[in-house]
């Protein structure tokens, strides 16, 4: 009859040498065996091992926790209510990195996801935290999920709203309880008459399906970087926005604008503005409002009344034309 290996009876240095060869979720499983195991592991990970991960948590139908290590090594733990997939493992390797996945069976996937979340936060150091929120996956538990994430991560680097349809009250509750200073993304549909309210400047706002995004949103939202795709905004409204920017009436902290061009007349509307075509052979240096130094070549310059420059490019991304504007003050 096989017997379990008495790991905890080994000398401390020997235990540490064995533990540092384990994968993250093997370490998590080890920490769950006893309070002594968890104490030993916490000391090792926080005192001896100088390894920091990025953390991604997702609330999709099978909620998951992902740890991203060096060289794009992904460790995914997925909670499932499907007994047939219990303890299933999968290893993938491609140009995008390596992915090590394990499925854990649970009769209450959200409760066990929260439990695993707590353990991971207790054991490991993370340099970034990203949240992928899917409101329709567990609609009756959204408030509980958001409250829990906020208790573990008062501030996150990035928050992604995913799924089929998102309601503004869910977005409002997330932004009220979780600080998202750097990156906010909507890769989803939203309800009719959706209203997005941002009280502070966010680093970057990206909207992948912006058929709800209108001129009022564009004027009112505050972000250093805006990327808007498939919006309702017309070429006349986009021109009006740029005029408003040139008069310092809106978005004085704007650093970069990326905007899908759906109407070829948009280009003509932009070129109706006072502008200067810049030589591609001349490299200029500029400083953004975020004190970043950038190098600019070519493009079409428009000027704000305080002297700031907006350099506009038109670029093809696949079969889609995109307007890109970078805002800076010339320093050379």
């Amino acid at each position: 009859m096989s017997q379990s290996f008495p790991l905890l009876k080994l000398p401390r240095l020997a235990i540490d040498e064995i533990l540092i060869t384990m994968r993250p979720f093997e370490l998590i499983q080890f920490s769950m065996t006893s309070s002594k195991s968890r104490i030993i592991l916490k000391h090792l990970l926080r005192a001896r091992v100088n390894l920091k991960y990025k953390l991604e948590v997702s609330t999709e139908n099978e909620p998951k926790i992902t740890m991203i290590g060096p060289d794009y090594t992904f460790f995914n733990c997925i909670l499932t209510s499907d007994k047939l997939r219990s303890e299933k493992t999968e290893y993938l390797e491609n140009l995008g990195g390596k992915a090590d996945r394990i499925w854990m069976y649970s009769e209450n996937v959200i409760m066990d996801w929260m439990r695993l979340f707590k353990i991971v936060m207790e054991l490991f150091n993370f340099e970034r935290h990203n949240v992928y929120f899917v409101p329709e996956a567990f609609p009756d538990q959204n408030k509980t999920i958001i409250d829990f994430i906020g208790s573990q991560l008062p501030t996150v680097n990035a928050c992604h709203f995913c799924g089929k349809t998102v309601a503004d009250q869910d977005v409002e509750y997330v932004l009220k309880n979780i600080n998202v200073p750097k990156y906010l993304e909507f890769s989803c549909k939203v309800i009719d008459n959706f209203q997005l309210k941002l009280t502070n400047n966010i680093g970057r706002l990206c909207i992948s399906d912006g058929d709800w995004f209108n001129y009022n949103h564009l004027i009112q939202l505050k972000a250093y970087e805006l990327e808007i795709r498939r919006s309702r905004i017309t070429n006349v409204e986009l021109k009006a926005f740029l005029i408003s920017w040139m008069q310092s009436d809106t978005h004085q902290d704007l650093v970069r604008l990326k905007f899908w061009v759906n109407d070829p007349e948009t280009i003509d509307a932009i070129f109706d503005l006072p502008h200067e075509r810049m030589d591609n052979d001349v490299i200029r240096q500029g400083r953004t409002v975020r004190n970043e130094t950038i190098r600019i070549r070519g493009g079409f310059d428009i000027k704000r009344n305080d002297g700031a420059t907006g350099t506009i490019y038109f670029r093809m991304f696949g079969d889609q034309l995109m307007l890109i504007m970078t805002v800076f003050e010339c320093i050379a």
Side-chain angles (χ1 to χ4, degrees):
M1 185 175 68
S2 63
Q3 295 182 347
S4 60
F5 182 73
L7 178 61
L8 295 181
K9 293 184 179 180
L10 294 176
R12 181 60 180 272
L13 288 178
I15 295 174
D16 288 354
E17 291 303 314
I18 293 173
L19 292 178
I20 60 177
T21 66
M22 292 183 178
R23 298 176 301 170
F25 290 110
E26 290 174 333
L27 295 174
I28 292 169
Q29 290 173 329
F30 171 76
S31 75
M32 296 168 67
T33 58
S34 69
S35 58
K36 182 178 179 180
S37 299
R38 187 169 300 185
I39 292 171
I40 290 173
L41 189 55
K42 283 177 65 176
H43 179 268
L44 171 69
L45 293 175
R46 293 188 175 272
R48 285 197 54 195
V49 179
N50 185 27
L51 180 60
K52 290 189 176 182
Y53 293 91
K54 299 179 180 69
L55 177 68
E56 292 185 353
V57 295
S58 170
T59 66
E60 52 201 287
N61 288 325
E62 291 189 335
K64 67 181 179 181
I65 292 177
T66 302
M67 297 172 57
I68 306 173
D71 301 321
Y72 294 97
T73 304
F74 294 77
F75 302 93
N76 296 320
C77 187
I78 304 165
L79 280 296
T80 180
S81 57
D82 183 356
K83 289 185 178 180
L84 296 178
R85 294 210 285 177
S86 177
E87 305 303 320
K88 174 187 173 182
T89 59
E90 187 175 75
Y91 181 78
L92 302 173
E93 186 170 348
N94 53 43
L95 294 177
K98 303 173 183 178
D100 204 358
R101 299 173 181 170
I102 182 171
W103 279 259
M104 296 176 60
Y105 171 73
S106 169
E107 294 182 356
N108 189 328
V109 293
I110 287 298
M111 288 300 296
D112 286 335
W113 174 81
M114 291 179 179
R115 178 169 172 260
L116 180 61
F117 196 152
K118 281 185 177 180
I119 293 172
V120 166
M121 289 296 295
E122 183 181 350
L123 293 177
F124 296 93
N125 292 310
F126 295 104
E127 56 186 5
R128 286 182 59 86
H129 307 91
N130 296 345
V131 173
Y132 291 81
F133 185 57
V134 187
E136 75 262 20
F138 301 93
D140 296 336
Q141 301 184 66
N142 280 342
K143 185 177 184 299
T144 300
I145 292 169
I146 295 167
D147 288 342
F148 172 77
I149 295 175
S151 71
Q152 299 297 308
L153 300 173
T155 297
V156 300
N157 297 87
C159 182
H160 307 254
F161 287 93
C162 313
K164 296 178 181 178
T165 305
V166 175
D168 45 11
Q169 60 263 31
D170 289 326
V171 175
E172 185 176 350
Y173 195 75
V174 168
L175 298 180
K176 180 180 177 181
N177 290 274
I178 303 173
N179 185 30
V180 187
K182 293 186 178 181
Y183 186 83
L184 180 62
E185 180 181 19
F186 292 85
S187 53
C188 56
K189 296 283 188 180
V190 299
I191 62 171
D192 292 339
N193 301 315
F194 179 83
Q195 295 296 319
L196 177 60
K197 300 175 183 177
L198 298 178
T199 55
N200 298 313
N201 254 13
I202 197 167
R204 184 181 179 194
L205 174 63
C206 181
I207 298 172
S208 301
D209 197 342
D211 60 354
W212 56 273
F213 195 86
N214 57 36
Y215 182 73
N216 287 334
H217 288 119
L218 182 60
I219 290 293
Q220 294 171 8
L221 291 181
K222 298 178 180 180
Y224 291 105
E225 298 185 33
L226 281 170
E227 181 173 346
I228 313 297
R229 305 176 185 179
R230 303 187 184 95
S231 77
R232 298 177 183 175
I233 295 174
T234 67
N235 59 325
V236 174
E237 289 173 331
L238 182 57
K239 180 180 177 181
F241 169 77
L242 293 176
I243 291 173
S244 179
W245 175 84
M246 294 169 73
Q247 295 173 345
S248 297
D249 291 332
T250 187
H251 284 272
Q252 294 187 52
D253 290 333
L254 185 66
V255 172
R256 190 164 290 106
L257 174 69
K258 293 184 178 181
F259 207 91
W260 277 30
V261 176
N262 300 316
D263 185 351
E265 292 183 5
T266 298
I267 299 177
D268 295 332
I270 299 304
F271 288 149
D272 277 346
L273 298 172
H275 69 276
E276 181 182 0
R277 182 190 294 266
M278 305 308 295
D279 193 328
N280 278 325
D281 295 331
V282 178
I283 298 176
R284 296 170 289 159
Q285 273 198 327
R287 183 176 290 113
T288 72
V289 71
R290 302 173 82 175
N291 207 31
E292 301 163 333
T293 300
I294 59 174
R295 291 161 63 87
I296 297 289
R297 182 199 296 267
F300 301 87
D301 281 3
I302 60 175
K303 290 288 186 178
R304 197 164 65 192
N305 59 8
D306 63 357
T309 298
T311 297
I312 296 175
Y313 303 89
F314 290 96
R315 295 282 187 266
M316 292 298 299
F317 287 79
D319 60 354
Q320 179 64 51
L321 182 64
M322 180 170 280
L323 177 151
I324 303 170
M325 183 172 81
T326 301
V327 180
F328 60 97
E329 291 185 1
C330 286
I331 56 177

